[in-house]
């Protein structure tokens, strides 16, 4: 955006006797992306700008087009007209960036290269050190508030435990900034932002910000009651409305309306012998082992049921489904989904995260040692 202002591509433009301030012509911008080698071709340039539209960064000046057209149409950055949404996610990201810049600009910074289990990590700090620094610098009022801030930063993917095993605590546990805010970036990285492999292999990516508690929305996740003997459960398997109704046609012509039953009806008896807390799972020496499962969904989904919350557990597994083939078992606890830490989430949010993700599902689960 700033480069476009400097290059005079963003300026006041007149169209049909009306002046539109601070806007750019889509076709000119596509040319600029190719000339500056930000995009290899026009198709990629269009995809990049569509990403910015999808993330509410740019929009058509009259909001008459919801997609980016490579034509003589006027678009504008939302920061230039005051419509950029400062959501909680954006505010957390900006707070994380501010803290990072402050930390790297001071002498004797707490951010250092440290080693744990013979592995070196960049931009690391101890939880206790970060809390001391936040209180000392007046970023927070007290240690409790500092812990809360650290947890928010971790849940939004800005910091993480170096081996992604712990939430944020006031202790000598080692954490690191997951995002290197100062690295030179290219727009083409936007096109890889939804790839879990890209995120795990490129921790410096500026687009790896991932909210660990996504806002619930409409998904294809269904809660169904197949007969009177089986209670309603939340099964992580895709199903079509018509197949549930007994129609063999796997397609439907109208958009399904998802109706979730009342909580009282959607609460089958847990398969767990007793409640288990996150603290118990994560405490040193706890009798649990972590396993990574790669589950490739079939035509109807993945074949398991998630229940509970904070932590969630596997309530049921379809013996003939992909999850069972990958090694999933009843009573395992869900630690992460596609690289996202989820121990603190409820089953509805985790189900939404799974259903809106890729077909190949990578899950970390914690299993009790017998």
């Amino acid at each position: 955006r700033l480069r476009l202002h400097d290059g005079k591509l963003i300026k006041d433009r007149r169209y049909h006797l009306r002046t539109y301030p601070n806007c750019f012509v889509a076709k000119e911008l596509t040319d600029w992306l190719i000339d500056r080698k930000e995009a290899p071709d026009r198709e990629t340039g269009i995809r990049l700008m569509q990403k910015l539209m999808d993330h509410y960064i740019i929009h058509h000046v009259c909001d008459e087009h919801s997609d980016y057209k490579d034509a003589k149409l006027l678009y504008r950055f939302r920061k230039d007209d005051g419509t950029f949404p400062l959501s909680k996610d954006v505010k957390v990201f900006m707070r994380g960036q501010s803290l990072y810049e402050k930390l790297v600009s001071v002498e004797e910074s707490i951010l250092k290269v440290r080693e744990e289990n013979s592995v070196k990590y960049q931009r690391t700090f101890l939880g206790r050190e970060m809390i001391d620094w936040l209180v000392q610098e007046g970023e927070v009022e007290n240690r409790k508030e500092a812990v809360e801030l650290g947890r928010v930063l971790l849940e939004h993917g800005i910091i993480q435990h170096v081996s992604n095993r712990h939430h944020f605590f006031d202790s000598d546990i080692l954490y690191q900034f997951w995002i290197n805010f100062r690295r030179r970036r290219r727009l083409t990285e936007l096109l890889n932002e939804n790839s879990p492999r890209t995120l795990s292999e490129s921790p410096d990516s500026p687009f790896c910000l991932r909210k660990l508690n996504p806002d619930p929305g409409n998904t294809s996740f269904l809660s169904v009651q197949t007969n009177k003997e089986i209670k309603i459960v939340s099964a992580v398997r895709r199903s079509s409305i018509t197949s549930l109704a007994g129609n063999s046609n796997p397609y439907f012509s109208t958009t399904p309306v998802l109706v979730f039953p009342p909580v009282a009806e959607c609460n089958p008896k847990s398969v767990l012998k007793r409640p288990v807390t996150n603290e118990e799972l994560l405490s040193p020496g706890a009798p649990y082992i972590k396993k990574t499962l790669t589950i490739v969904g079939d035509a109807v989904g993945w074949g398991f049921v998630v229940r509970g919350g904070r932590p969630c557990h596997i309530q049921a597994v379809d013996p003939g489904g992909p999850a069972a083939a990958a090694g999933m078992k009843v009573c395992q606890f869900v630690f992460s989904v596609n690289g996202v830490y989820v121990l603190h989430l409820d089953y509805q949010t985790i189900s939404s995260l799974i259903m809106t993700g890729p077909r190949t599902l990578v899950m970390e689960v914690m299993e009790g040692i017998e």
Side-chain angles (χ1 to χ4, degrees), residues 34 42 49 56 66 68 79 87-88 97 99 101 147 169 190-191 225 236 246 249 253 279 287 297 308 311 321 327 352:
I34 296 174
R42 302 194 77 82
M49 300 313 293
Y56 302 99
S66 59
Y68 181 81
K79 275 200 169 185
S87 64
K88 180 182 177 182
Q97 183 178 26
L99 292 175
E101 292 292 344
V147 171
F169 295 101
L190 271 172
L191 301 180
Q225 186 169 7
V236 185
N249 183 359
S253 57
E279 289 72 17
S352 176

Side-chain angles (χ1 to χ4, degrees), residues 55 89 93 123 153-160 176-181 183 185-186 189-212 338-341:
H55 285 72
D89 294 348
F93 183 89
R123 305 183 296 277
L153 293 176
L154 186 144
E155 289 169 10
H156 283 73
I158 295 172
I159 65 173
Q160 67 166 16
Q176 69 180 152
F177 269 86
W178 181 243
I179 304 175
N180 180 357
F181 289 97
R183 187 175 66 81
R185 286 120 189 184
R186 300 195 68 82
E189 292 180 55
L190 271 172
L191 301 180
N192 299 322
E193 67 165 332
N194 291 326
S195 169
R197 182 175 298 277
T198 301
L199 297 185
S200 61
E201 294 181 357
S202 303
D204 285 349
S205 171
F207 307 110
C208 70
L209 175 66
R210 61 210 187 283
K211 186 181 178 187
L212 299 192
N338 294 328
V340 177
Y341 175 87

